PDB file of all heavy atoms in Angstrom:
ATOM      1  N   GLU F   1    -160.725-163.448-162.736  1.00  0.00           N
ATOM      2  CA  GLU F   1    -162.148-163.570-162.415  1.00  0.00           C
ATOM      3  C   GLU F   1    -163.016-163.028-163.547  1.00  0.00           C
ATOM      4  O   GLU F   1    -164.125-163.530-163.785  1.00  0.00           O
ATOM      5  CB  GLU F   1    -162.456-162.827-161.115  1.00  0.00           C
ATOM      6  CG  GLU F   1    -163.892-162.986-160.647  1.00  0.00           C
ATOM      7  CD  GLU F   1    -164.172-162.344-159.307  1.00  0.00           C
ATOM      8  OE1 GLU F   1    -163.204-162.027-158.581  1.00  0.00           O
ATOM      9  OE2 GLU F   1    -165.362-162.145-158.976  1.00  0.00           O
ATOM     10  N   ALA F   2    -162.517-162.029-164.262  1.00  0.00           N
ATOM     11  CA  ALA F   2    -163.291-161.441-165.362  1.00  0.00           C
ATOM     12  C   ALA F   2    -163.379-162.357-166.572  1.00  0.00           C
ATOM     13  O   ALA F   2    -164.177-162.098-167.481  1.00  0.00           O
ATOM     14  CB  ALA F   2    -162.673-160.103-165.767  1.00  0.00           C
ATOM     15  N   GLY F   3    -162.550-163.396-166.598  1.00  0.00           N
ATOM     16  CA  GLY F   3    -162.653-164.357-167.699  1.00  0.00           C
ATOM     17  C   GLY F   3    -161.565-164.280-168.744  1.00  0.00           C
ATOM     18  O   GLY F   3    -161.669-164.915-169.802  1.00  0.00           O
ATOM     19  N   PHE F   4    -160.494-163.522-168.494  1.00  0.00           N
ATOM     20  CA  PHE F   4    -159.382-163.512-169.440  1.00  0.00           C
ATOM     21  C   PHE F   4    -158.676-164.861-169.400  1.00  0.00           C
ATOM     22  O   PHE F   4    -158.478-165.441-168.322  1.00  0.00           O
ATOM     23  CB  PHE F   4    -158.387-162.398-169.095  1.00  0.00           C
ATOM     24  CG  PHE F   4    -158.858-161.027-169.499  1.00  0.00           C
ATOM     25  CD1 PHE F   4    -159.657-160.277-168.653  1.00  0.00           C
ATOM     26  CD2 PHE F   4    -158.504-160.500-170.730  1.00  0.00           C
ATOM     27  CE1 PHE F   4    -160.100-159.020-169.025  1.00  0.00           C
ATOM     28  CE2 PHE F   4    -158.945-159.236-171.114  1.00  0.00           C
ATOM     29  CZ  PHE F   4    -159.749-158.496-170.255  1.00  0.00           C
ATOM     30  N   PRO F   5    -158.278-165.401-170.538  1.00  0.00           N
ATOM     31  CA  PRO F   5    -157.603-166.696-170.564  1.00  0.00           C
ATOM     32  C   PRO F   5    -156.285-166.655-169.799  1.00  0.00           C
ATOM     33  O   PRO F   5    -155.664-165.596-169.669  1.00  0.00           O
ATOM     34  CB  PRO F   5    -157.358-166.942-172.062  1.00  0.00           C
ATOM     35  CG  PRO F   5    -158.369-166.085-172.760  1.00  0.00           C
ATOM     36  CD  PRO F   5    -158.520-164.876-171.902  1.00  0.00           C
ATOM     37  N   PRO F   6    -155.824-167.791-169.279  1.00  0.00           N
ATOM     38  CA  PRO F   6    -154.539-167.850-168.575  1.00  0.00           C
ATOM     39  C   PRO F   6    -153.412-167.304-169.454  1.00  0.00           C
ATOM     40  O   PRO F   6    -153.346-167.600-170.650  1.00  0.00           O
ATOM     41  CB  PRO F   6    -154.356-169.345-168.305  1.00  0.00           C
ATOM     42  CG  PRO F   6    -155.743-169.892-168.284  1.00  0.00           C
ATOM     43  CD  PRO F   6    -156.505-169.099-169.303  1.00  0.00           C
ATOM     44  N   GLY F   7    -152.555-166.499-168.857  1.00  0.00           N
ATOM     45  CA  GLY F   7    -151.407-165.962-169.574  1.00  0.00           C
ATOM     46  C   GLY F   7    -151.646-164.641-170.264  1.00  0.00           C
ATOM     47  O   GLY F   7    -150.700-163.996-170.711  1.00  0.00           O
ATOM     48  N   VAL F   8    -152.895-164.195-170.372  1.00  0.00           N
ATOM     49  CA  VAL F   8    -153.166-162.911-171.029  1.00  0.00           C
ATOM     50  C   VAL F   8    -152.765-161.745-170.132  1.00  0.00           C
ATOM     51  O   VAL F   8    -152.333-160.702-170.612  1.00  0.00           O
ATOM     52  CB  VAL F   8    -154.646-162.812-171.445  1.00  0.00           C
ATOM     53  CG1 VAL F   8    -154.992-161.415-171.945  1.00  0.00           C
ATOM     54  CG2 VAL F   8    -154.947-163.839-172.531  1.00  0.00           C
ATOM     55  N   PHE F   9    -152.885-161.930-168.823  1.00  0.00           N
ATOM     56  CA  PHE F   9    -152.372-160.919-167.891  1.00  0.00           C
ATOM     57  C   PHE F   9    -151.785-161.631-166.679  1.00  0.00           C
ATOM     58  O   PHE F   9    -152.473-162.427-166.035  1.00  0.00           O
ATOM     59  CB  PHE F   9    -153.459-159.943-167.438  1.00  0.00           C
ATOM     60  CG  PHE F   9    -152.904-158.812-166.612  1.00  0.00           C
ATOM     61  CD1 PHE F   9    -152.545-157.622-167.223  1.00  0.00           C
ATOM     62  CD2 PHE F   9    -152.704-158.954-165.249  1.00  0.00           C
ATOM     63  CE1 PHE F   9    -151.991-156.585-166.478  1.00  0.00           C
ATOM     64  CE2 PHE F   9    -152.152-157.919-164.495  1.00  0.00           C
ATOM     65  CZ  PHE F   9    -151.802-156.740-165.112  1.00  0.00           C
ATOM     66  N   SER F  10    -150.510-161.342-166.392  1.00  0.00           N
ATOM     67  CA  SER F  10    -149.817-161.998-165.282  1.00  0.00           C
ATOM     68  C   SER F  10    -149.039-160.968-164.474  1.00  0.00           C
ATOM     69  O   SER F  10    -148.584-159.952-165.011  1.00  0.00           O
ATOM     70  CB  SER F  10    -148.845-163.059-165.800  1.00  0.00           C
ATOM     71  OG  SER F  10    -149.491-163.978-166.652  1.00  0.00           O
ATOM     72  N   SER F  11    -148.878-161.253-163.189  1.00  0.00           N
ATOM     73  CA  SER F  11    -148.028-160.427-162.329  1.00  0.00           C
ATOM     74  C   SER F  11    -146.792-161.214-161.939  1.00  0.00           C
ATOM     75  O   SER F  11    -146.878-162.414-161.642  1.00  0.00           O
ATOM     76  CB  SER F  11    -148.779-160.023-161.053  1.00  0.00           C
ATOM     77  OG  SER F  11    -149.745-159.040-161.308  1.00  0.00           O
ATOM     78  N   ILE F  12    -145.649-160.553-161.943  1.00  0.00           N
ATOM     79  CA  ILE F  12    -144.428-161.140-161.412  1.00  0.00           C
ATOM     80  C   ILE F  12    -143.936-160.239-160.288  1.00  0.00           C
ATOM     81  O   ILE F  12    -143.895-159.012-160.428  1.00  0.00           O
ATOM     82  CB  ILE F  12    -143.343-161.318-162.495  1.00  0.00           C
ATOM     83  CG1 ILE F  12    -143.058-159.999-163.223  1.00  0.00           C
ATOM     84  CG2 ILE F  12    -143.740-162.393-163.497  1.00  0.00           C
ATOM     85  CD1 ILE F  12    -141.895-160.074-164.211  1.00  0.00           C
ATOM     86  N   LEU F  13    -143.589-160.834-159.165  1.00  0.00           N
ATOM     87  CA  LEU F  13    -143.101-160.092-158.003  1.00  0.00           C
ATOM     88  C   LEU F  13    -141.589-160.229-157.952  1.00  0.00           C
ATOM     89  O   LEU F  13    -141.055-161.257-157.509  1.00  0.00           O
ATOM     90  CB  LEU F  13    -143.744-160.629-156.720  1.00  0.00           C
ATOM     91  CG  LEU F  13    -145.273-160.662-156.691  1.00  0.00           C
ATOM     92  CD1 LEU F  13    -145.765-161.221-155.357  1.00  0.00           C
ATOM     93  CD2 LEU F  13    -145.861-159.281-156.942  1.00  0.00           C
ATOM     94  N   ILE F  14    -140.907-159.214-158.443  1.00  0.00           N
ATOM     95  CA  ILE F  14    -139.451-159.259-158.495  1.00  0.00           C
ATOM     96  C   ILE F  14    -138.885-157.913-158.045  1.00  0.00           C
ATOM     97  O   ILE F  14    -139.544-156.876-158.171  1.00  0.00           O
ATOM     98  CB  ILE F  14    -138.934-159.576-159.915  1.00  0.00           C
ATOM     99  CG1 ILE F  14    -139.368-158.502-160.906  1.00  0.00           C
ATOM    100  CG2 ILE F  14    -139.389-160.962-160.365  1.00  0.00           C
ATOM    101  CD1 ILE F  14    -138.764-158.654-162.301  1.00  0.00           C
ATOM    102  N   PRO F  15    -137.656-157.890-157.514  1.00  0.00           N
ATOM    103  CA  PRO F  15    -137.029-156.613-157.180  1.00  0.00           C
ATOM    104  C   PRO F  15    -136.641-155.873-158.449  1.00  0.00           C
ATOM    105  O   PRO F  15    -136.532-156.470-159.538  1.00  0.00           O
ATOM    106  CB  PRO F  15    -135.793-157.030-156.372  1.00  0.00           C
ATOM    107  CG  PRO F  15    -135.476-158.410-156.854  1.00  0.00           C
ATOM    108  CD  PRO F  15    -136.793-159.038-157.183  1.00  0.00           C
ATOM    109  N   ASN F  16    -136.415-154.589-158.308  1.00  0.00           N
ATOM    110  CA  ASN F  16    -136.087-153.767-159.480  1.00  0.00           C
ATOM    111  C   ASN F  16    -134.863-154.281-160.214  1.00  0.00           C
ATOM    112  O   ASN F  16    -134.764-154.166-161.447  1.00  0.00           O
ATOM    113  CB  ASN F  16    -135.872-152.320-159.046  1.00  0.00           C
ATOM    114  CG  ASN F  16    -137.130-151.679-158.482  1.00  0.00           C
ATOM    115  OD1 ASN F  16    -138.237-152.103-158.826  1.00  0.00           O
ATOM    116  ND2 ASN F  16    -136.983-150.695-157.621  1.00  0.00           N
ATOM    117  N   GLU F  17    -133.909-154.850-159.476  1.00  0.00           N
ATOM    118  CA  GLU F  17    -132.652-155.289-160.087  1.00  0.00           C
ATOM    119  C   GLU F  17    -132.854-156.422-161.088  1.00  0.00           C
ATOM    120  O   GLU F  17    -131.997-156.658-161.944  1.00  0.00           O
ATOM    121  CB  GLU F  17    -131.669-155.741-158.997  1.00  0.00           C
ATOM    122  CG  GLU F  17    -131.212-154.645-158.052  1.00  0.00           C
ATOM    123  CD  GLU F  17    -132.273-154.224-157.045  1.00  0.00           C
ATOM    124  OE1 GLU F  17    -133.237-155.016-156.821  1.00  0.00           O
ATOM    125  OE2 GLU F  17    -132.172-153.112-156.500  1.00  0.00           O
ATOM    126  N   ARG F  18    -133.972-157.136-160.994  1.00  0.00           N
ATOM    127  CA  ARG F  18    -134.212-158.256-161.908  1.00  0.00           C
ATOM    128  C   ARG F  18    -135.026-157.853-163.127  1.00  0.00           C
ATOM    129  O   ARG F  18    -135.275-158.690-164.014  1.00  0.00           O
ATOM    130  CB  ARG F  18    -134.912-159.394-161.157  1.00  0.00           C
ATOM    131  CG  ARG F  18    -133.997-160.142-160.193  1.00  0.00           C
ATOM    132  CD  ARG F  18    -134.760-161.139-159.336  1.00  0.00           C
ATOM    133  NE  ARG F  18    -135.511-162.105-160.140  1.00  0.00           N
ATOM    134  CZ  ARG F  18    -136.415-162.937-159.626  1.00  0.00           C
ATOM    135  NH1 ARG F  18    -136.683-162.916-158.333  1.00  0.00           N
ATOM    136  NH2 ARG F  18    -137.054-163.793-160.409  1.00  0.00           N
ATOM    137  N   ALA F  19    -135.430-156.599-163.203  1.00  0.00           N
ATOM    138  CA  ALA F  19    -136.272-156.175-164.321  1.00  0.00           C
ATOM    139  C   ALA F  19    -135.532-156.214-165.648  1.00  0.00           C
ATOM    140  O   ALA F  19    -136.120-156.504-166.693  1.00  0.00           O
ATOM    141  CB  ALA F  19    -136.811-154.772-164.062  1.00  0.00           C
ATOM    142  N   ALA F  20    -134.222-155.912-165.630  1.00  0.00           N
ATOM    143  CA  ALA F  20    -133.458-155.871-166.882  1.00  0.00           C
ATOM    144  C   ALA F  20    -133.501-157.220-167.603  1.00  0.00           C
ATOM    145  O   ALA F  20    -133.640-157.275-168.835  1.00  0.00           O
ATOM    146  CB  ALA F  20    -132.016-155.465-166.604  1.00  0.00           C
ATOM    147  N   ALA F  21    -133.395-158.299-166.845  1.00  0.00           N
ATOM    148  CA  ALA F  21    -133.424-159.626-167.470  1.00  0.00           C
ATOM    149  C   ALA F  21    -134.775-159.895-168.119  1.00  0.00           C
ATOM    150  O   ALA F  21    -134.848-160.542-169.174  1.00  0.00           O
ATOM    151  CB  ALA F  21    -133.109-160.695-166.425  1.00  0.00           C
ATOM    152  N   VAL F  22    -135.842-159.396-167.515  1.00  0.00           N
ATOM    153  CA  VAL F  22    -137.172-159.595-168.101  1.00  0.00           C
ATOM    154  C   VAL F  22    -137.312-158.773-169.382  1.00  0.00           C
ATOM    155  O   VAL F  22    -137.875-159.244-170.378  1.00  0.00           O
ATOM    156  CB  VAL F  22    -138.269-159.215-167.082  1.00  0.00           C
ATOM    157  CG1 VAL F  22    -139.658-159.403-167.699  1.00  0.00           C
ATOM    158  CG2 VAL F  22    -138.134-160.053-165.819  1.00  0.00           C
ATOM    159  N   ILE F  23    -136.793-157.557-169.369  1.00  0.00           N
ATOM    160  CA  ILE F  23    -136.828-156.727-170.580  1.00  0.00           C
ATOM    161  C   ILE F  23    -136.112-157.425-171.723  1.00  0.00           C
ATOM    162  O   ILE F  23    -136.568-157.414-172.880  1.00  0.00           O
ATOM    163  CB  ILE F  23    -136.194-155.347-170.307  1.00  0.00           C
ATOM    164  CG1 ILE F  23    -137.044-154.560-169.301  1.00  0.00           C
ATOM    165  CG2 ILE F  23    -136.038-154.552-171.603  1.00  0.00           C
ATOM    166  CD1 ILE F  23    -136.385-153.292-168.802  1.00  0.00           C
ATOM    167  N   ARG F  24    -134.985-158.060-171.426  1.00  0.00           N
ATOM    168  CA  ARG F  24    -134.192-158.727-172.469  1.00  0.00           C
ATOM    169  C   ARG F  24    -134.831-160.020-172.960  1.00  0.00           C
ATOM    170  O   ARG F  24    -134.484-160.515-174.040  1.00  0.00           O
ATOM    171  CB  ARG F  24    -132.788-159.037-171.934  1.00  0.00           C
ATOM    172  CG  ARG F  24    -131.917-157.823-171.691  1.00  0.00           C
ATOM    173  CD  ARG F  24    -130.475-158.247-171.468  1.00  0.00           C
ATOM    174  NE  ARG F  24    -130.329-159.101-170.298  1.00  0.00           N
ATOM    175  CZ  ARG F  24    -130.028-158.672-169.074  1.00  0.00           C
ATOM    176  NH1 ARG F  24    -129.872-157.368-168.851  1.00  0.00           N
ATOM    177  NH2 ARG F  24    -129.880-159.521-168.065  1.00  0.00           N
ATOM    178  N   HIS F  25    -135.726-160.591-172.206  1.00  0.00           N
ATOM    179  CA  HIS F  25    -136.284-161.904-172.554  1.00  0.00           C
ATOM    180  C   HIS F  25    -136.943-161.842-173.932  1.00  0.00           C
ATOM    181  O   HIS F  25    -137.684-160.912-174.238  1.00  0.00           O
ATOM    182  CB  HIS F  25    -137.309-162.329-171.501  1.00  0.00           C
ATOM    183  CG  HIS F  25    -137.667-163.767-171.558  1.00  0.00           C
ATOM    184  ND1 HIS F  25    -138.527-164.281-172.506  1.00  0.00           N
ATOM    185  CD2 HIS F  25    -137.264-164.824-170.803  1.00  0.00           C
ATOM    186  CE1 HIS F  25    -138.659-165.587-172.324  1.00  0.00           C
ATOM    187  NE2 HIS F  25    -137.912-165.949-171.296  1.00  0.00           N
ATOM    188  N   PRO F  26    -136.703-162.848-174.771  1.00  0.00           N
ATOM    189  CA  PRO F  26    -137.243-162.802-176.144  1.00  0.00           C
ATOM    190  C   PRO F  26    -138.764-162.791-176.217  1.00  0.00           C
ATOM    191  O   PRO F  26    -139.327-162.367-177.232  1.00  0.00           O
ATOM    192  CB  PRO F  26    -136.663-164.068-176.783  1.00  0.00           C
ATOM    193  CG  PRO F  26    -136.213-164.938-175.652  1.00  0.00           C
ATOM    194  CD  PRO F  26    -135.820-164.012-174.557  1.00  0.00           C
ATOM    195  N   ALA F  27    -139.455-163.230-175.168  1.00  0.00           N
ATOM    196  CA  ALA F  27    -140.917-163.209-175.212  1.00  0.00           C
ATOM    197  C   ALA F  27    -141.464-161.791-175.141  1.00  0.00           C
ATOM    198  O   ALA F  27    -142.538-161.509-175.687  1.00  0.00           O
ATOM    199  CB  ALA F  27    -141.488-164.040-174.056  1.00  0.00           C
ATOM    200  N   ILE F  28    -140.756-160.892-174.488  1.00  0.00           N
ATOM    201  CA  ILE F  28    -141.230-159.513-174.313  1.00  0.00           C
ATOM    202  C   ILE F  28    -140.974-158.722-175.587  1.00  0.00           C
ATOM    203  O   ILE F  28    -139.854-158.672-176.094  1.00  0.00           O
ATOM    204  CB  ILE F  28    -140.542-158.842-173.106  1.00  0.00           C
ATOM    205  CG1 ILE F  28    -140.931-159.552-171.808  1.00  0.00           C
ATOM    206  CG2 ILE F  28    -140.878-157.350-173.036  1.00  0.00           C
ATOM    207  CD1 ILE F  28    -142.400-159.500-171.482  1.00  0.00           C
ATOM    208  N   ARG F  29    -142.018-158.066-176.098  1.00  0.00           N
ATOM    209  CA  ARG F  29    -141.899-157.310-177.345  1.00  0.00           C
ATOM    210  C   ARG F  29    -141.833-155.797-177.124  1.00  0.00           C
ATOM    211  O   ARG F  29    -141.389-155.066-178.024  1.00  0.00           O
ATOM    212  CB  ARG F  29    -143.094-157.626-178.250  1.00  0.00           C
ATOM    213  CG  ARG F  29    -143.205-159.090-178.629  1.00  0.00           C
ATOM    214  CD  ARG F  29    -142.105-159.527-179.577  1.00  0.00           C
ATOM    215  NE  ARG F  29    -142.231-160.930-179.935  1.00  0.00           N
ATOM    216  CZ  ARG F  29    -143.007-161.388-180.927  1.00  0.00           C
ATOM    217  NH1 ARG F  29    -143.733-160.533-181.629  1.00  0.00           N
ATOM    218  NH2 ARG F  29    -143.070-162.671-181.197  1.00  0.00           N
ATOM    219  N   ALA F  30    -142.318-155.328-175.961  1.00  0.00           N
ATOM    220  CA  ALA F  30    -142.328-153.888-175.697  1.00  0.00           C
ATOM    221  C   ALA F  30    -142.414-153.670-174.192  1.00  0.00           C
ATOM    222  O   ALA F  30    -142.748-154.593-173.434  1.00  0.00           O
ATOM    223  CB  ALA F  30    -143.508-153.212-176.401  1.00  0.00           C
ATOM    224  N   VAL F  31    -142.101-152.457-173.774  1.00  0.00           N
ATOM    225  CA  VAL F  31    -142.088-152.125-172.346  1.00  0.00           C
ATOM    226  C   VAL F  31    -142.765-150.775-172.136  1.00  0.00           C
ATOM    227  O   VAL F  31    -142.515-149.818-172.887  1.00  0.00           O
ATOM    228  CB  VAL F  31    -140.647-152.052-171.786  1.00  0.00           C
ATOM    229  CG1 VAL F  31    -140.680-151.840-170.267  1.00  0.00           C
ATOM    230  CG2 VAL F  31    -139.856-153.296-172.135  1.00  0.00           C
ATOM    231  N   THR F  32    -143.609-150.702-171.116  1.00  0.00           N
ATOM    232  CA  THR F  32    -144.155-149.413-170.694  1.00  0.00           C
ATOM    233  C   THR F  32    -143.792-149.210-169.231  1.00  0.00           C
ATOM    234  O   THR F  32    -143.862-150.148-168.431  1.00  0.00           O
ATOM    235  CB  THR F  32    -145.679-149.338-170.900  1.00  0.00           C
ATOM    236  OG1 THR F  32    -146.150-148.048-170.497  1.00  0.00           O
ATOM    237  CG2 THR F  32    -146.421-150.402-170.112  1.00  0.00           C
ATOM    238  N   LEU F  33    -143.363-148.006-168.903  1.00  0.00           N
ATOM    239  CA  LEU F  33    -142.965-147.700-167.527  1.00  0.00           C
ATOM    240  C   LEU F  33    -143.563-146.386-167.087  1.00  0.00           C
ATOM    241  O   LEU F  33    -143.553-145.403-167.837  1.00  0.00           O
ATOM    242  CB  LEU F  33    -141.437-147.625-167.406  1.00  0.00           C
ATOM    243  CG  LEU F  33    -140.927-147.109-166.054  1.00  0.00           C
ATOM    244  CD1 LEU F  33    -139.835-147.999-165.493  1.00  0.00           C
ATOM    245  CD2 LEU F  33    -140.415-145.676-166.143  1.00  0.00           C
ATOM    246  N   THR F  34    -144.083-146.364-165.878  1.00  0.00           N
ATOM    247  CA  THR F  34    -144.408-145.120-165.195  1.00  0.00           C
ATOM    248  C   THR F  34    -143.533-145.080-163.959  1.00  0.00           C
ATOM    249  O   THR F  34    -143.586-145.999-163.129  1.00  0.00           O
ATOM    250  CB  THR F  34    -145.892-145.063-164.796  1.00  0.00           C
ATOM    251  OG1 THR F  34    -146.698-145.120-165.977  1.00  0.00           O
ATOM    252  CG2 THR F  34    -146.202-143.776-164.056  1.00  0.00           C
ATOM    253  N   GLY F  35    -142.726-144.030-163.847  1.00  0.00           N
ATOM    254  CA  GLY F  35    -141.791-143.979-162.724  1.00  0.00           C
ATOM    255  C   GLY F  35    -140.899-142.761-162.781  1.00  0.00           C
ATOM    256  O   GLY F  35    -141.225-141.750-163.416  1.00  0.00           O
ATOM    257  N   SER F  36    -139.749-142.871-162.164  1.00  0.00           N
ATOM    258  CA  SER F  36    -138.812-141.760-162.039  1.00  0.00           C
ATOM    259  C   SER F  36    -137.972-141.594-163.297  1.00  0.00           C
ATOM    260  O   SER F  36    -137.920-142.479-164.161  1.00  0.00           O
ATOM    261  CB  SER F  36    -137.881-142.002-160.853  1.00  0.00           C
ATOM    262  OG  SER F  36    -137.040-143.125-161.108  1.00  0.00           O
ATOM    263  N   GLU F  37    -137.298-140.446-163.381  1.00  0.00           N
ATOM    264  CA  GLU F  37    -136.347-140.232-164.480  1.00  0.00           C
ATOM    265  C   GLU F  37    -135.287-141.325-164.501  1.00  0.00           C
ATOM    266  O   GLU F  37    -134.951-141.864-165.563  1.00  0.00           O
ATOM    267  CB  GLU F  37    -135.656-138.879-164.319  1.00  0.00           C
ATOM    268  CG  GLU F  37    -136.525-137.665-164.491  1.00  0.00           C
ATOM    269  CD  GLU F  37    -135.737-136.423-164.122  1.00  0.00           C
ATOM    270  OE1 GLU F  37    -135.731-136.059-162.935  1.00  0.00           O
ATOM    271  OE2 GLU F  37    -135.111-135.824-165.022  1.00  0.00           O
ATOM    272  N   ARG F  38    -134.743-141.628-163.333  1.00  0.00           N
ATOM    273  CA  ARG F  38    -133.685-142.631-163.249  1.00  0.00           C
ATOM    274  C   ARG F  38    -134.174-143.974-163.780  1.00  0.00           C
ATOM    275  O   ARG F  38    -133.491-144.634-164.568  1.00  0.00           O
ATOM    276  CB  ARG F  38    -133.227-142.765-161.791  1.00  0.00           C
ATOM    277  CG  ARG F  38    -132.168-143.849-161.577  1.00  0.00           C
ATOM    278  CD  ARG F  38    -131.967-144.127-160.096  1.00  0.00           C
ATOM    279  NE  ARG F  38    -133.203-144.513-159.438  1.00  0.00           N
ATOM    280  CZ  ARG F  38    -133.745-145.732-159.535  1.00  0.00           C
ATOM    281  NH1 ARG F  38    -133.161-146.670-160.278  1.00  0.00           N
ATOM    282  NH2 ARG F  38    -134.863-146.008-158.899  1.00  0.00           N
ATOM    283  N   ALA F  39    -135.366-144.375-163.359  1.00  0.00           N
ATOM    284  CA  ALA F  39    -135.917-145.645-163.831  1.00  0.00           C
ATOM    285  C   ALA F  39    -136.161-145.602-165.335  1.00  0.00           C
ATOM    286  O   ALA F  39    -135.891-146.573-166.054  1.00  0.00           O
ATOM    287  CB  ALA F  39    -137.213-145.961-163.090  1.00  0.00           C
ATOM    288  N   GLY F  40    -136.662-144.463-165.827  1.00  0.00           N
ATOM    289  CA  GLY F  40    -136.915-144.333-167.257  1.00  0.00           C
ATOM    290  C   GLY F  40    -135.656-144.467-168.087  1.00  0.00           C
ATOM    291  O   GLY F  40    -135.643-145.134-169.130  1.00  0.00           O
ATOM    292  N   MET F  41    -134.590-143.827-167.630  1.00  0.00           N
ATOM    293  CA  MET F  41    -133.321-143.925-168.354  1.00  0.00           C
ATOM    294  C   MET F  41    -132.803-145.357-168.379  1.00  0.00           C
ATOM    295  O   MET F  41    -132.315-145.855-169.407  1.00  0.00           O
ATOM    296  CB  MET F  41    -132.293-142.999-167.709  1.00  0.00           C
ATOM    297  CG  MET F  41    -132.599-141.523-167.864  1.00  0.00           C
ATOM    298  SD  MET F  41    -131.425-140.492-166.938  1.00  0.00           S
ATOM    299  CE  MET F  41    -132.168-138.870-167.161  1.00  0.00           C
ATOM    300  N   ALA F  42    -132.915-146.043-167.234  1.00  0.00           N
ATOM    301  CA  ALA F  42    -132.426-147.418-167.155  1.00  0.00           C
ATOM    302  C   ALA F  42    -133.231-148.345-168.054  1.00  0.00           C
ATOM    303  O   ALA F  42    -132.673-149.175-168.781  1.00  0.00           O
ATOM    304  CB  ALA F  42    -132.480-147.897-165.704  1.00  0.00           C
ATOM    305  N   VAL F  43    -134.555-148.201-168.034  1.00  0.00           N
ATOM    306  CA  VAL F  43    -135.413-149.063-168.848  1.00  0.00           C
ATOM    307  C   VAL F  43    -135.215-148.771-170.337  1.00  0.00           C
ATOM    308  O   VAL F  43    -135.128-149.692-171.158  1.00  0.00           O
ATOM    309  CB  VAL F  43    -136.889-148.885-168.438  1.00  0.00           C
ATOM    310  CG1 VAL F  43    -137.822-149.500-169.470  1.00  0.00           C
ATOM    311  CG2 VAL F  43    -137.132-149.499-167.067  1.00  0.00           C
ATOM    312  N   ALA F  44    -135.143-147.489-170.690  1.00  0.00           N
ATOM    313  CA  ALA F  44    -134.951-147.130-172.094  1.00  0.00           C
ATOM    314  C   ALA F  44    -133.617-147.657-172.618  1.00  0.00           C
ATOM    315  O   ALA F  44    -133.527-148.128-173.761  1.00  0.00           O
ATOM    316  CB  ALA F  44    -135.020-145.617-172.262  1.00  0.00           C
TER     317      ALA F  44
END
């Protein structure tokens, strides 16, 4: 609604178990996480 072009900000609704595949995807260049120690270790 604010006028950002399509694709500049998107939400994906996925379970935690599918996040690893998204991290590996070649389109993704970096990852930021706010969460638990366990989640941080897994994402890192």
Side-chain angles (χ1 to χ4, degrees):
E1 184 175 344
F4 283 87
V8 172
F9 187 93
S10 306
S11 286
I12 54 174
L13 305 180
I14 61 173
N16 296 335
E17 295 74 19
R18 287 173 56 191
V22 179
I23 294 171
R24 291 193 298 267
H25 195 283
I28 296 298
R29 300 290 180 85
V31 186
T32 181
L33 171 132
T34 298
S36 66
E37 293 173 272
R38 177 192 57 77
M41 292 174 187
V43 166

